[in-house]
Amino acid sequence: MSDLSEQGVGKPVRRKEDFRFITGNGHYTDDISRPHQTHGYFLRSPHAHAKIRSIDTKAVLAAPGVLAIFTGKDIAADKLGGLICGWTVHSKDGSAMKVGPHPVLALDTVRYVGDHVALVVAETHEEAKSAAELIEVDYEELPAIVSLADCEKPGAPQVHPEAPHNICFEWELGNKAETEAAFARATKVVKIDLVNNRLIPNAMEPRAAIGEYDKGTGGYTLHTTSQNPHVARLVLSAFVGVAPEHKLRVIAPDVGGGFGSKIFIYAEETACVWAAAKVGRPIKWTAERSESFMSDAHGRDHLSHAELALDANGKILGLRVKTIANLGAYLSTFSAAVPTYLYGTLLSGQYDIPAIYVEVDGVYTHTAPVDAYRGAGRPEATFLIERIVETAARETGLDPAEFRRRNFIRAFPHQTPVIMNYDAGNYDASLDKAMEIADVKGFAVRKAEAARRGKLRGLGYSTYIEACGIAPSAAVGSLGAGVGLWESAEVRVNPTGNVEVLTGSHSHGQGHETTFAQLVSSRLGIPIDQIEIVHGDTDKVQFGMGTYGSRSGAVGMSAIVKALDKVEAKAKKIAAHLMEAAVEDVVFQEGRFTVQGTDKSLAWAEVTLAAYTAHGFPSSEIEPGLKETSFYDPSNFTFPAGCHICEVEIDPETGVLDIANFVAVDDFGTIINPMIVEGQVHGGIAQGVGQALLELGVYDNDSGQLVTGSFMDYCMPRADNVPSFRLGFTKTECPSNPLGMKGCGEAGAIASPPAIINAITDALGIRDIEMPATPARIWKAIQSSRPRAAAE
Amino acid sequence: MTVVSMTVNGKSVSADVEARTLLVHYIREALGLTGTHVGCDTSQCGACVVHVNGRAVKSCAMLAGQAEGAEVVTVEGLARDGELHPVQKAFREHHGLQCGFCTPGMIMTAVDMIRRKPQLDEQTVRDELEGNICRCTGYHNIVKAILAASEEMR
């Protein structure tokens, strides 16, 4: 069994899925061609806000290769529903959020640059695109609002008549009176204003879809770049009404990254699958990158004011926060949950804060919808708490690590004032380890050495917590979720003993085909190459909730564990029957069933074959076959936590910044494959570096145009923008799931931005700098903080 | 329409395409070699890198007609006689890929980089990767894989 022990839980097993990707044999949606397929192209709004007076499509139908054109009127005539937000948030006054309709193709108004106006279907992509230029849309341009700071002001242009002052909801969480009382007895109050910059996700595979209709069966098939094909099917059938659920098959094949942006159900795949029946042939659409920039759901985009109340010993007494969160022009699938239940609930950070009160205004603007992007609400919460804690440490004259220690939670379970009940953690351990790896003791020497070279060095901490394992169905249901967030697994054991695991999780880079197989291998004692992980097809997997919120380990794998429990129990029964022993005496270990205290034993494959030959089973006790299913609903969220430390060196003459060292120490509980987990952390940190230093989605205030619409204008992190990272791990097992796992997919993006900004402000000796802290912004900050005496 | 002929992965190929057809679309659509990807429309991301006459080229920045008569190698043509190229092996060994979408372009760029610069160090690899974007890996393990492959091939 020495060979198998290298494949099990905890080993850095090389990925099973890699072979097809390194040889060019992956199957991404755009790689798939269906017989007789046509090509769709979407005409999009060039205006941020306009009335559509009329659409003249006559010239289009005469253009070469064109088969059909569809507008919002065609969709309305078919009585299709609009796109939905699956989470209802309530305002302080108890009223439900104010939802503006979100038609698949615009009916009479366009509300952001890139909004969908018409779908042209032609023999080739080029023909469809060329023909779209012949559509004559008579727009009446209207004033637009893209500024978060101004959108609630009287007289601001209105996005939806249903939402006066562009306010979708005015949400609150926490205890206002207790928080006011905490501030009343504070000896010091620290205040900070923060911008959490708008980001554009940019998974490297652009979104794509192929809609198909089978006249013979009346069935629809949709290939789509989705993180959760079952949720797409549910929304498209139950809410949009494209087809009944049993007549709609959704397939998410290899998907090239998601980061949240491929959770949502978008207009394009909806229109393609609906129109396929009208055209009578498959319709394929693949986004050009400029379309991704315009129409993928964006991330973050908050304006916040926060205040922290302290006593004389640097102990936090209370926190109050007011945030304006941009929702864009329409509510996307998850969007209302992100700046509320995924944000306000994490504002306690790693700290024992007796009173918290947060208010969030979710607002509409004439911009692309904003929804979950890697971390989803938790990066915004972490940025706020870690920036204000750092500022408080500096303003009370305490070392930032010491200030944090004075406020760490140390007893578990810990009930925060903002819903979450932290089940396990050791925040001193991750801080200690990060400080050791980062050689914090040697920082003063390095800073002095840098100063001799004319450079400014700074050190920044971020001791973060997040909530993953989304989510306990009862808990999220009470908070407004339209669905439960459990996960399913089916373990099918074949007669020859190899295994197929059907999971509702979806892998788009996370390596589930390897890690899930490691779990099964450890449990059943068979090699990982005899285990197939099946996902991403609603015809194969009955139902599932998909992959986001770092849930596939804690929730998806827990479902597999539960199904394996049932498989083992039944296999033991069969083995007991075959060996004429009592089932209680049968032990299953390393792939063999043994009758305790005897030399009787059977191999896994002997029992699995017997399960299907079934000769002489006592039919009242043992059914033939070996296949088990489980739907696992977690009992709590999981709480990954840790400490990131960033050290920067800045050239004061140019503002150019170098990340001299980046250390991440994370507590993810049980780790199945450390190689894959490290990769998740690396990628997350790079996205955090992007947010802190490089990336910003910009709309022009006057025209409402998207200014950052390509990789020429939107600065993605490149290999020379990031260093090699130094990682470490600490471990407290999560008591809320059978594997003790917490989730690792988002931590890097959540923890890193405040560590970087804390390092920059430390280096420059300034209070704040807005993200992204580009060389130009850093240079300006240096100029404005320098004493002017020399010049005067 | 124009007939464009070239050698791709050692085989002579020919297809009748519109004159405006880009090399990447010729490879993906006319030849059905979908390992080469399109990740942007501004020649920034490098997902479409192939070798044309032995040099790494962004195949979205070149018309198919410009490759008339050329020797083209795509990611599908890198392994020889069932044996993976050392760069392919290194990407797997060092977890240099996650979603896999940028990977073909990364691998083709890396092979060319190692050919041009046999003495690679981390900073050189990072500078050379400037034309390839990855959103998953944070580049950490891509850099590690390229350095390891470079060592292996020395």
Side-chain angles (χ1 to χ4, degrees), chain B residues 129-145:
Chain B
L129 282 180
E130 217 265 342
N132 292 74
I133 304 177
C134 169
R135 196 53 150 168
C136 294
T137 64
Y139 304 99
H140 184 108
N141 285 339
I142 291 177
V143 172
K144 221 163 120 184

Side-chain angles (χ1 to χ4, degrees), chain B residues 52-111:
Chain B
V52 177
N53 295 328
R55 296 180 53 179
V57 164
K58 287 180 175 173
S59 60
C60 74
M62 184 173 181
L63 294 167
Q66 291 175 290
E68 172 72 36
E71 292 271 347
V72 174
V73 178
T74 70
V75 71
E76 289 95 338
L78 212 50
R80 290 285 158 84
D81 306 321
E83 176 77 3
L84 292 176
H85 188 280
V87 173
Q88 290 173 308
K89 284 187 197 164
F91 267 66
R92 181 167 193 271
E93 181 60 27
H94 297 280
H95 191 31
L97 64 149
Q98 290 181 26
C99 82
F101 194 82
C102 76
T103 309
M106 286 286 179
I107 288 176
M108 299 311 281
T109 298
V111 170

Side-chain angles (χ1 to χ4, degrees), chain A residues 14-15 22 28 289 717 719, chain B residues 39 88 93 98-99 126 139:
Chain A
R14 302 306 185 262
R15 301 201 316 172
I22 58 179
Y28 301 91
R289 181 56 60 183
Chain B
Q88 290 173 308
E93 181 60 27
Q98 290 181 26
C99 82
R126 289 186 180 277
Y139 304 99

